[in-house]
Amino acid sequence: METTTTEIAAAMREQVTAYCENNGVPGYLAGVYRGGEQVVLAHGTANRSTGAAMREDTGFLLGSVTKVLTTTLLLRHVERGLLDLDRPVVSYLPEFELTEPGAAERIRVRNLLNHTNGIDADLLFADGAGRHALRDYTAALGRQCGVLFAPEEYASYSNGGMIVAGRLLEAVTGASYPELLERELYSSVGMADSSTSARQAILRSTAVGHFPAAEGARRTEMFMLPDTWGPAGGTAIGTVADLLAFGRTHLADGISPSGTRVLSAELTALMRQPSYDLGTPNVAPIGLGWLLMPFGSARVLTMSGASPGGVALLAVAPEQDLVFVAYGNDMRAMPLHDELLLWLLTESGVRVTDLVTPSEAGELVRYAGTYRSNQLRVEVRAVDGQLEEQTHYEPFDTEQERIFRGFAGGAVSGPPQRYVPIGRDLFAPAGMPAQAFNGYLRQLLVSYHGFADGRAAYRNAGGRMTRRHYDR
């Protein structure tokens, strides 16, 4: 007998209450659309400093969930003939440059949307606000950032690529990215309670993030990232109901709940078609905008979004006629997102099997070494049949450090972390059960790639590549 919407709401509320109280998460929002019915629930506090309650219509930063909105927005302009996915970005945006000569010229528009561009800018926090913020970010790319690999050689989660996509939209339309987001997407989808800036969000109920503290949680001192990060997930703010409407639009092949055609069925389908597969369990096949995450027999369109002290999730399961949206104003809410999504899929008839199993350790020296990417250094050592990693953030300047510290809650380097082998060139954090990685937390796994000289050339964690650094 199928679970009713009322029963789903009651079961979710029980899970949310127990998890938040046991793990110190101040507030939580969740929403489910399934088979024509919808439910939204709110729990706890939106801001511990004020005591404001989390409400069903409380807004929150979408974080990187914005990337799927940016992709949808760009494809609307492909549909109109203003952009071609297979043309070089520089043919529309001559200002686009990277520090490696000729690298920018090789990047096509589609490489911005499927994370295969290789731009080494994952942590480039260029400051800036207003109409020219994305232009300023693009200029900073040309001064400070090169590439990790050639286009389509690998995939690496690309904030920089998505920000360039936003600037590309500005160049071909003459409108700012926030203007396009409001006019072309919020309005068409029916996202009436969404906004593009803190200046708009202050006029309504909006949650703020929190970080773990001795008293349970402390409020963030940084509400959002600079305007330069808008298209990648710095500034967009929405509600559960609005994100459900966006998810339902993709569920309905591009038609919004109000009946408006937002995107053609062909381009909506293209977003969910695999365009790159790294072939490792910790990185889902990538469509355009979406991560195409397998859960047992189901393929779920997903994107999570971190903001200063918060984390959002959007998941669309077409075969199950299901959309799930969640937000927690503490990063410790991510396992709850996973728990609820796995439960909803199971309730919808999906049989989720273990993604990974323990494995014997091979020769670990082939993974050991120093790996680098934009302002990041990871030291990997072989210790007692395990790998030990330590990550260090190395900012270009005080501006980068200030923004990063605000986003991360103060920390710039993590403690050493041990990893155990669980598959070919694949490692899991020591002490975690295999079942923990069946859901979205599979992104905690670490994989190694490119063994031309017998040692790994790349390390992938959280979908992000770092490249082996060779001392010369």
Side-chain angles (χ1 to χ4, degrees), residues 19-264:
Y19 183 92
C20 291
E21 290 180 356
N22 290 335
N23 293 277
V25 175
Y28 196 80
L29 293 162
V32 178
Y33 169 86
R34 192 180 73 166
E37 296 186 306
Q38 185 166 301
V39 61
V40 176
L41 63 88
H43 170 84
T45 307
N47 184 337
R48 286 199 67 184
S49 295
T50 65
M54 194 76 91
R55 308 185 322 194
E56 292 179 4
D57 65 347
T58 295
F60 55 90
L61 282 158
L62 306 185
S64 286
V65 173
T66 309
K67 290 180 172 68
V68 192
L69 277 67
T70 299
T71 302
T72 304
L73 186 57
L74 189 145
L75 289 177
R76 281 174 66 92
H77 292 83
V78 170
E79 190 172 351
R80 293 169 184 168
L82 290 178
L83 290 167
D84 184 328
L85 290 172
D86 292 315
R87 283 189 64 181
V89 174
V90 294
S91 65
Y92 301 105
L93 193 64
E95 70 194 61
F96 175 45
E97 296 180 345
L98 297 166
T99 57
E100 182 178 314
E105 287 78 3
R106 294 192 292 269
I107 296 173
R108 297 182 297 158
V109 174
R110 73 169 64 244
N111 300 138
L112 302 177
L113 306 180
N114 65 9
H115 304 278
T116 61
N117 53 76
I119 299 171
D120 188 13
D122 191 53
L123 293 177
L124 179 62
F125 292 110
D127 203 0
R131 181 65 178 84
H132 300 301
L134 303 190
R135 185 190 65 183
D136 294 344
Y137 179 94
T138 306
L141 277 181
R143 294 191 304 268
Q144 296 178 306
C145 296
V147 293
L148 284 166
F149 48 80
E152 300 177 19
E153 181 182 5
Y154 290 107
S156 184
Y157 189 85
S158 182
N159 289 306
M162 203 60 69
I163 297 170
V164 172
R167 175 61 187 141
L168 179 61
L169 280 167
E170 292 186 335
V172 299
T173 64
S176 72
Y177 175 81
E179 290 170 346
L180 291 168
L181 190 60
E182 286 186 314
R183 185 179 72 223
E184 299 275 345
L185 207 62
Y186 288 172
S187 178
S188 297
V189 171
M191 300 172 69
D193 292 319
S194 293
S195 56
T196 62
S197 71
R199 293 178 293 279
Q200 294 175 338
I202 201 171
L203 301 176
R204 60 184 320 283
S205 171
T206 306
V208 298
H210 299 77
F211 295 101
E215 66 275 16
R218 61 178 175 83
R219 193 205 64 199
T220 179
E221 297 302 315
M222 172 191 282
F223 174 62
M224 68 182 194
L225 288 169
D227 290 356
T228 53
W229 267 58
T235 56
I237 300 160
T239 62
V240 170
D242 280 359
L243 264 192
L244 285 172
F246 178 79
R248 289 175 61 184
T249 299
H250 280 269
L251 203 60
D253 298 323
I255 299 176
S256 75
S258 66
T260 301
R261 168 64 71 181
V262 177
L263 192 64
S264 71

Side-chain angles (χ1 to χ4, degrees), residues 121-467:
D122 191 53
L123 293 177
L124 179 62
F125 292 110
D127 203 0
R131 181 65 178 84
H132 300 301
L134 303 190
R135 185 190 65 183
D136 294 344
Y137 179 94
T138 306
L141 277 181
R143 294 191 304 268
Q144 296 178 306
C145 296
V147 293
L148 284 166
F149 48 80
E152 300 177 19
E153 181 182 5
Y154 290 107
S156 184
Y157 189 85
S158 182
N159 289 306
M162 203 60 69
I163 297 170
V164 172
R167 175 61 187 141
L168 179 61
L169 280 167
E170 292 186 335
V172 299
T173 64
S176 72
Y177 175 81
E179 290 170 346
L180 291 168
L181 190 60
E182 286 186 314
R183 185 179 72 223
E184 299 275 345
L185 207 62
Y186 288 172
S187 178
S188 297
V189 171
M191 300 172 69
D193 292 319
S194 293
S195 56
T196 62
S197 71
R199 293 178 293 279
Q200 294 175 338
I202 201 171
L203 301 176
R204 60 184 320 283
S205 171
T206 306
V208 298
H210 299 77
F211 295 101
E215 66 275 16
R218 61 178 175 83
R219 193 205 64 199
T220 179
E221 297 302 315
M222 172 191 282
F223 174 62
M224 68 182 194
L225 288 169
D227 290 356
T228 53
W229 267 58
T235 56
I237 300 160
T239 62
V240 170
D242 280 359
L243 264 192
L244 285 172
F246 178 79
R248 289 175 61 184
T249 299
H250 280 269
L251 203 60
D253 298 323
I255 299 176
S256 75
S258 66
T260 301
R261 168 64 71 181
V262 177
L263 192 64
S264 71
E266 292 76 17
L267 288 175
T268 306
L270 183 64
M271 287 181 66
R272 64 176 73 166
Q273 291 176 11
S275 63
Y276 190 91
D277 188 352
L278 195 58
T280 182
N282 58 315
V283 182
I286 301 170
L288 297 181
W290 293 112
L291 301 181
L292 312 177
M293 195 164 285
F295 289 84
S297 60
R299 172 172 283 174
V300 182
L301 317 177
T302 66
M303 183 56 69
S304 64
S307 52
V311 59
L313 178 67
L314 170 63
V316 178
E319 293 180 4
Q320 287 70 40
D321 196 24
L322 172 71
V323 181
F324 173 60
V325 171
Y327 169 79
N329 59 356
D330 186 309
M331 295 298 290
R332 291 172 293 186
M334 193 65 208
L336 178 57
H337 293 352
D338 233 13
E339 179 183 318
L340 292 173
L341 177 57
L342 286 167
W343 177 78
L344 286 166
L345 290 171
T346 301
E347 288 295 310
S348 299
V350 177
R351 182 171 176 269
V352 178
T353 55
D354 286 351
L355 187 72
V356 298
T357 56
S359 174
E360 290 293 324
E363 182 55 65
L364 297 183
V365 70
R366 66 202 227 114
Y367 310 110
T370 300
Y371 297 81
R372 289 185 178 275
S373 63
N374 178 264
Q375 303 177 84
L376 194 70
R377 173 171 57 90
V378 183
E379 301 289 349
V380 180
R381 301 190 305 140
V383 181
D384 300 328
Q386 299 178 348
L387 292 182
E388 182 178 87
E389 295 188 352
Q390 185 152 24
T391 300
H392 304 273
Y393 175 60
E394 300 177 331
F396 290 143
D397 52 38
T398 55
E399 177 185 283
Q400 295 288 312
E401 183 173 1
R402 174 183 61 81
I403 297 172
F404 182 85
R405 282 185 180 276
F407 181 78
V412 295
S413 295
Q417 171 70 59
R418 290 288 188 94
Y419 288 83
V420 297
I422 56 169
R424 181 172 177 80
D425 305 324
L426 185 65
F427 293 79
M432 293 185 68
Q435 294 76 16
F437 309 111
N438 291 343
Y440 213 88
L441 291 182
R442 67 188 70 185
Q443 293 191 329
L444 295 178
L445 303 175
V446 174
S447 58
Y448 291 85
H449 307 268
F451 290 88
D453 63 353
R455 304 184 74 183
Y458 290 92
R459 165 189 170 274
N460 189 295
R464 294 163 166 87
M465 287 287 200
T466 46
R467 184 171 56 193

